[in-house]
Amino acid sequence: MKRVRVIPVLGLEDGSLVKTINFKNPNYLGDPINAIKIYNDKEVDEIAVVDIRASQQGKEPNYTLINEMAGECFMPMSYGGGIKTFDSAKKVFDQGVEKLIFNTSCIESRSLLTDVAKLFGEQSTVASIDIKKSWLGKKGAVVLSGTKSVKKDLASFAKELVESGVGEIVVNSVVRDGSFNGYDLDAIKVISEAVSVPVIALGGARNISDFVAAVKEGKASAVAASSMFAYKNQDTNSILINYPSQEELISNFYNKI
């Protein structure tokens, strides 16, 4: 049986747990601390927390909240959002976070990724590549909540990030965010085949079958989801923090990859 990480992603805005669709119109879900407590009980592999507007609004990370969340986590926790300096990165690590997730700094401050990787390890330095189609229909990477284009092909961009010290890459799709239409398998596969570091699929998962497709077709090393773990009913979006049981994961995911 192959064991692959299954990671809930918590989006934050102004300290509240929210969920977007296509990176827009955040829907309030509740208190992130309560969500973390629920995930503790469900034997989650690890958790990722991202402040979705911090960099765009020029805000620093909310260190007090990060400390509270990390203190509640029984599993490894990653954090992204608003980390623009090495001092800020160090301060986030000091709150008990195991990994930092970088997006805007991947183009605005590549040296920051290198510095973090050198001191804290490549395994603690994660790049988030958000995917969006241009008006010509070509897929490319974007930053700042999907508002700024990187203007490089995905494979080359991913390779550059790994050369800078990144030890893991999250591949997220703007158009599939909150859609329940499945992952962007083509983009995930392009990046997975271009680099030697683990690649995490994110954006669009509806069910465990999408996890299987991400690993078998997209060549992902891990899978992540947000809406799938936040809503009870995908048609009405009634809120219920959830996660598959270990038995479900074994029979419907691990045994099929």
Side-chain angles (χ1 to χ4, degrees):
M1 180 183 74
K2 183 178 180 181
R3 175 86 185 201
V4 173
R5 289 173 294 154
V6 178
I7 306 167
V9 178
L10 306 185
L12 298 181
E13 185 175 53
D14 297 326
S16 295
L17 182 63
V18 298
K19 184 66 198 83
T20 56
I21 297 178
N22 307 140
F23 285 25
K24 299 176 182 178
N25 304 319
N27 181 40
Y28 174 77
L29 299 181
D31 180 1
I33 302 295
N34 289 337
I36 288 171
K37 290 178 179 177
I38 293 171
Y39 286 130
N40 282 337
D41 293 336
K42 294 184 177 296
E43 302 179 44
V44 168
D45 294 319
E46 64 181 78
I47 199 164
V49 178
V50 179
D51 190 317
I52 64 172
R53 300 284 184 253
S55 293
Q56 191 177 20
Q57 296 174 350
K59 294 180 179 179
E60 277 201 60
N62 185 333
Y63 303 109
T64 300
L65 178 58
I66 294 169
N67 181 271
E68 292 175 1
M69 291 188 293
E72 287 291 343
C73 270
F74 295 165
M75 76 292 286
M77 173 178 154
S78 305
Y79 173 83
I83 307 169
K84 294 185 176 181
T85 66
F86 184 79
D87 286 343
S88 178
K90 185 177 183 302
K91 195 169 181 180
V92 173
F93 275 124
D94 287 343
Q95 308 313 310
V97 171
E98 279 80 9
K99 300 178 184 179
L100 298 189
I101 303 170
F102 295 97
N103 178 252
T104 303
S105 292
C106 291
I107 62 167
E108 293 189 352
S109 184
R110 192 73 60 78
S111 61
L112 174 58
L113 279 63
T114 302
D115 292 342
V116 169
K118 284 181 178 178
L119 185 60
F120 297 99
E122 293 181 354
Q123 78 285 346
S124 296
T125 311
V126 182
S128 177
I129 300 181
D130 297 332
I131 310 297
K132 188 177 182 180
K133 279 187 177 181
S134 70
W135 65 277
L136 292 173
K138 185 177 181 180
K139 292 178 183 178
V142 292
V143 296
L144 285 174
S145 299
T147 62
K148 184 175 181 180
S149 174
V150 174
K151 301 187 185 304
K152 293 182 180 180
D153 71 83
L154 296 178
S156 297
F157 184 47
K159 288 177 181 177
E160 288 179 9
L161 294 175
V162 173
E163 289 170 0
S164 296
V166 166
E168 195 164 74
I169 295 176
V170 179
V171 181
N172 195 5
S173 168
V174 175
V175 72
R176 292 172 184 264
D177 171 56
S179 71
F180 297 112
N181 288 330
Y183 296 113
D184 187 333
L185 299 177
D186 293 337
I188 295 166
K189 185 177 180 180
V190 166
I191 294 174
S192 295
E193 292 183 339
V195 298
S196 57
V197 302
V199 170
I200 302 171
L202 175 62
R206 181 181 182 88
N207 51 41
I208 294 178
S209 294
D210 288 323
F211 296 168
V212 176
V215 175
K216 295 185 73 172
E217 298 176 42
K219 311 301 181 184
S221 302
V223 295
S226 184
S227 294
M228 178 181 165
F229 297 149
Y231 297 117
K232 177 181 179 181
N233 188 306
Q234 296 165 354
D235 297 319
T236 63
N237 283 352
S238 54
I239 298 168
L240 177 67
I241 303 300
N242 68 95
Y243 188 81
S245 68
Q246 294 303 307
E247 291 76 14
E248 289 177 292
L249 289 174
I250 290 170
S251 61
N252 297 321
F253 183 32
Y254 303 146
N255 285 342
K256 293 186 177 181
I257 55 176

